[in-house]
Amino acid sequence: MTDMSDTRVITASANHSLMLKWTWRELWQGQLWPVAVALTLIIACVFALAALVVRVEKVMVAQGRSMIAADLVLRASNPISPDLIAQAQRQGLVISRQTRFGTMAFSDSAMQLVSVKSVEGNFPLRGELSLKTPTGMHHQVLPGELWLDERLFGLLNVKPGDSLAIGDAELVVSGTIVQEPELSFNPFSQMPAVMIHADDLARTGAIQPGSRVSYRAYFNGADNQLAALQQAVTLTPDQRWISETTQGRTGDMLDKARQYLSLTLILVILMAAATLVLTCLHYVSTRTETVAMMKSLGASKRWLWRWLARQLAMLFAVAATAGITLGWLLEYLLRVPLHDILPDPLPDMGWTPGVVSLLVAGLVALPGMGIALIRLVDAPAISVIQQQVDWPVQKRGYWLLVLPLAAALLWFGQNTLVWMTLAGLLVVLAVLAGLGVALVLLLKRGQWGPAMTLALSRISRSRMATGAQLAALTSSLMLLTVIWLLRSDLLADWQQTLPLDAPNVFALNISPEQREEYLSTLDAEGVIRSDIYPVIRGRLTHRNGEDLLAGEREEQDDALRRELNFTWRKAMPVHNTLMEGRWGEPGSVSVESGIAERLGIVLGDTLTFSVNSQPFTANVSSIREVEWRNMRPNFFFIFAPDVMETLPATWLVSYRVEDGQSALVNRLGRDFPTVTLLDLRTMATRIQGIMQQISLSLSVLAALGVISGLLLVLTLLRLSMAQRRQEIRLYRTLGASKKRIAATVWGEFGIMALLAGVLAAAAAEVVVAALVKWGFELPVQGHPVIWLVVPVLSLLLVVVIIRSMLRDLLEPVRS
């Protein structure tokens, strides 16, 4: 009994070993390895992008809150009510207050208009304040201290330890403001900064009735506490909440980059899923006889499912291991270019990317492989002696589609960009199929040689199959083209909004008497500058007699809550685009398109404005498109000269200072002490660096998307060639020469590739235009080069596949 038991164990072990070897051989030699590659790509892409998105979102929230110096900020033009502060304290929030105003700073030999920030000792609540003294670094402002923007030391000719008059207060200069968390990109409200402690504010005596003062309250706490405070407080007309969701220029770029990451992820998953489905269908066709033979030898469906389950388990294990490893490496490559804008150490990505990537791969593989394998297990045993083209298949497998569809609904939710893309792809797929068949039928009417005639006859024999093949091939080429074009359009837009020659210094508050001398100095130094603009601050009050300020504060547009900067010109700025109307009619005003849309302003409307409490009107004669991110002087309203030129105004000019011209900025500050200089060189360099870094990450991702598309195209062509094996055998049996067969194959696939390339280029233009206009809100532009590149790429792929497979296809029938 013992010997028999040992024998059974040995036999079972041997059988198990043989089954594992068979499973492994079936995995890599039985057409399942492309499925493993497709699953690996899905897992790697989802892991990398999920990890990057988790990190970037955490960084964006942290950086966004650092840039406002708190979790939440209340900005007001009047002192903030003590009741509001008490309410915040009762909710357990940490509070810091700031008062900001403009005044003159006087040294023994100079004076300068400055922006004073009176802060409490715990400022900032988020981010870092760096203050430098001759003896070291400090990170908070104490009573009696005075900290200056670095540029003020040259303008006022002072050094640490010297006395400086801020209003009525004499304060000793403590050191330099090296870094403060709050950043503002409004050139019209910038002056060199001075920081003092809140205890010294009363000593300055600078705040008088009618003074322009801004008040801020900073709050830190849990999100639910902050939300409760916002709900409990009724804002007055001069108050406004500021949070990290108020995005600046870099936030806009990161947001669009994240949109691109998500969209590319979807397209890569679609292409990898298509590769998986096609490969599984081919696997079913190649293993039907094997399954039929095993059934004829007594194998049950249960045994067959165990046999397939071993293969699938081994396949998924290999794909999961390779995918997670490749995903980790890919995530590292994606964030290497972002090293300078990501904090050190990085936020922890947790287990989410790994779990999500495996879950997505499982949801994609379940219907993609399950439906095909159910068909394989249902193959009749008679197929071993008589090939069965089709056999009844149980419909239960199609219920597997419910799981990924339900997951997609939960995952994407109200993401209109994704749903718009998927719907567009379905429509394009149907159109491409019909258009491809129509073009083939049109070509068939022409006069061709025998090989080409046979090729066209072969293509048009089954319109449904031809349409499906053309649509699949065209769609795959289109998807990889879309990925690359979207990347190119995003980078082109960022480069256009902040070109390398963008202005990096603004000169404000230039008096009419200083205007010509200031411009002459810039021109003498060969500095690239903008036109000079007169600037007057005022408010829009009425449209066609309707009081625009009469509504609730929350319902008003932000442009109605504050004073705006007005200017006048005879000619439209070259960096603006006229959308409607005519420029410069007497008594007219040109309106920026965004505010016109928000406020319902149209051509012919009469607008009423107020400057220094003096009302005046102007008729809307034109609507302009303005790119606010290009760091050039831009305005909501530009008037005809006759409307405003009699009003007192100061002047504004922007210019670009190159490396080595720093002395010019200091000299202009000394020669024109009343002119406010806003030096944006550090900020502009930072933004351009971020653009370059993000562009590298997008390029890495786009390359991955293209690889996925190429894999799908190669799979399609490879499977199509494999399906020709039986037909080639028949042609040779009927006496067709190898040369004639080769010419027919070249003609058939050449036509398919050329048609697919042209249709893919056209479809990609349409899809990208729609995504760019309604998804990313960028200007639409054409891409003529893809009309050549995509068809050529398609033909090259066909050449590679045919040259690698045609000889093997002809080999079995050689005599």
Side-chain angles (χ1 to χ4, degrees), residues 448-463:
W448 309 96
M452 186 63 70
T453 301
L454 185 58
L456 289 171
S457 175
R458 171 64 186 83
I459 295 174
S460 60
R461 186 181 308 161
S462 174
R463 297 182 183 180

Side-chain angles (χ1 to χ4, degrees), residues 494-496 498-504 632 656 658 688 691-692:
W494 293 339
Q495 188 62 40
Q496 183 179 2
L498 191 61
L500 295 176
D501 61 347
N504 53 21
R632 301 182 188 276
R656 179 168 186 81
E658 303 293 349
Q688 287 171 336
M691 286 168 50
Q692 294 173 356

Side-chain angles (χ1 to χ4, degrees), residues 579-614:
M579 300 178 65
E580 298 180 66
R582 299 178 59 183
W583 180 265
E585 294 183 349
S588 68
V589 61
S590 178
V591 185
E592 185 267 337
S593 58
I595 194 173
E597 181 178 356
R598 296 195 303 272
L599 300 182
I601 298 173
V602 297
L603 294 178
D605 281 354
T606 299
L607 304 181
T608 303
F609 302 88
S610 175
V611 172
N612 296 328
S613 300
Q614 299 297 316

Side-chain angles (χ1 to χ4, degrees), residues 200-221:
D200 299 318
L201 176 61
R203 293 172 51 195
T204 66
I207 299 179
Q208 301 294 330
S211 299
R212 295 178 58 86
V213 186
S214 175
Y215 299 89
R216 283 172 169 78
Y218 300 84
F219 305 97
N220 264 21

